[in-house]
Amino acid sequence: MKTITLMAAALLAATSAFAQSAAEKSGINSLVGAAPKTDDFVKEVSMSDIFEIETSKLAVERTDAGTKAFAQQMVQDHQKTTGELKQLVDSGKVKVSPAAAMSDDQNEALDELKALQGAEFKKQYRDDQIEAHEDAVDIFGRYAENGENAALKAWAAQTLPALQHHLEMAKALAD
């Protein structure tokens, strides 16, 4: 009986943890304004940084001077946030490892971007950056407000204004 109770408790705990991750993945947390779990936040932020860096490196090679300047700043700024997150992990203040790669959806979006040239490339890059920064502003804002890890919460609050600025810059890119 004790074994069955322990197994049920373990299953319930696993289901609860999965449900929280599923809520973040499905967008439910965003809709209700709930902070993501620390694991989810670190994973999403690190994957987003990789995506923004990789797409921006491509844009540096393929776009006009104005978009190229934006893309260079995205590479620089998102390499900085990647480094800051790594420092939080390395210091032991955050006990979650960042993602080492992009999501399947992000890889697919990068592949689609690689297939484009000229005005089509520029428009898709702009749209991708707007969407990525809207998502980043949302998740950073929710974590800054109600995150569970104090050091990560402070970092999210400190980083949020730069991400809001990136979003405005992306929206201002010429079509």
Side-chain angles (χ1 to χ4, degrees):
M1 181 69 170
K2 204 178 227 184
T3 303
I4 294 172
T5 305
L6 287 173
M7 286 174 51
L11 181 60
L12 183 60
T15 303
S16 174
F18 175 74
Q20 291 172 348
S21 292
E24 188 61 40
K25 190 172 188 174
S26 68
I28 299 298
N29 282 351
S30 182
L31 286 175
V32 298
K37 289 178 27 187
T38 297
D39 291 1
D40 290 337
F41 179 72
V42 170
K43 179 181 174 187
E44 293 297 321
V45 166
S46 53
M47 287 189 309
S48 179
D49 272 352
I50 296 167
F51 178 75
E52 291 180 44
I53 290 167
E54 292 305 312
T55 57
S56 293
K57 284 180 179 178
L58 200 55
V60 167
E61 298 171 5
R62 296 190 182 182
T63 57
D64 60 82
T67 304
K68 186 179 288 193
F70 170 81
Q72 288 170 324
Q73 181 162 0
M74 292 308 98
V75 170
Q76 178 183 340
D77 289 358
H78 287 283
Q79 286 174 337
K80 179 182 178 215
T81 56
T82 296
E84 291 169 350
L85 182 58
K86 185 180 179 324
Q87 285 178 335
L88 286 168
V89 170
D90 290 348
S91 72
K93 293 177 181 174
V94 175
K95 305 214 184 302
V96 178
S97 295
M102 294 180 284
S103 70
D104 290 343
D105 288 345
Q106 289 166 325
N107 275 312
E108 186 177 309
L110 178 60
D111 287 343
E112 289 174 11
L113 192 61
K114 286 178 180 178
L116 301 175
Q117 295 290 332
E120 287 180 328
F121 175 90
K122 184 177 172 182
K123 182 183 181 328
Q124 188 60 53
Y125 172 71
R126 177 183 181 263
D127 292 349
D128 288 347
Q129 288 298 308
I130 290 171
E131 183 179 345
H133 284 95
E134 285 173 342
D135 291 347
V137 165
D138 173 60
I139 198 168
F140 270 79
R142 289 185 290 119
Y143 202 89
E145 178 121 356
N146 294 309
E148 58 197 3
N149 177 295
L152 202 54
K153 185 177 175 178
W155 177 71
Q158 172 189 338
T159 306
L160 183 58
L163 295 172
Q164 291 166 326
H165 181 65
H166 290 174
L167 176 58
E168 294 309 312
M169 290 169 58
K171 287 179 177 178
L173 289 172
D175 284 328

